[in-house]
Amino acid sequence: MSASEAESDLSSDERAGLELIRESGGIHQSDFWKELDISSRKGSRIADVLESLELIKRTQTVYNGHTTYYLEPAARDLQFSMLMAGDMLSPFIGEEEINANSNAFSQWLMNLAYEEY
């Protein structure tokens, strides 16, 4: 089952939980259920469902002196083709300053222009 198929079968609470985890980039489970305004029991069940569907990653941790879980969005099937030109990755990846006149960008752009589809 793909991630999009799994997401379509989620309840409204599970969908809200997944959205919270994705928007926050990660949240402790002890804060997760509080943010959703649900019981810790229900929050734990939602986290279990999302983890079993591989929509989130759940890691045991200690937070504020208590054992809890850290909930993070799972890596989805991402399409990186827009960052590629042939076998070259965009020179802007990981760069803080972008120089459109750089040699690396020119080479990448030329590969992109001559790439066959």
Side-chain angles (χ1 to χ4, degrees):
M1 179 183 297
S2 71
S4 59
E5 289 172 338
E7 287 181 43
S8 67
D9 292 336
L10 296 177
S11 70
S12 60
D13 286 337
E14 292 164 347
R15 206 170 291 118
L18 180 59
E19 188 65 28
L20 173 61
I21 294 166
R22 285 181 175 163
E23 286 178 0
S24 65
I27 187 169
H28 288 95
Q29 187 168 311
S30 54
D31 293 334
F32 173 73
W33 58 270
K34 293 173 189 172
E35 288 285 326
L36 292 175
D37 195 27
I38 57 176
S39 69
S40 62
R41 182 178 180 180
K42 187 170 185 177
S44 181
R45 288 183 178 168
I46 290 171
D48 284 339
V49 168
L50 297 176
E51 181 184 34
S52 70
L53 294 172
E54 298 180 356
L55 296 172
I56 66 166
K57 180 181 168 190
R58 195 172 178 212
T59 310
Q60 189 172 6
T61 187
V62 175
Y63 176 62
N64 290 337
H66 300 282
T67 301
T68 186
Y69 289 93
Y70 189 70
L71 312 175
E72 301 175 89
R76 294 188 253 169
D77 295 333
L78 301 175
Q79 179 58 267
F80 293 104
S81 64
M82 296 297 292
L83 302 175
M84 302 295 293
D87 62 351
M88 290 181 65
L89 184 63
S90 169
F92 295 146
I93 303 299
E95 294 295 320
E96 289 184 25
E97 292 184 29
I98 297 173
N99 179 2
N101 295 319
S102 71
N103 187 38
F105 178 67
S106 296
Q107 288 178 345
W108 181 81
L109 195 58
M110 292 302 288
N111 278 349
L112 186 61
Y114 291 111
E115 191 172 276
E116 291 183 38
Y117 288 96

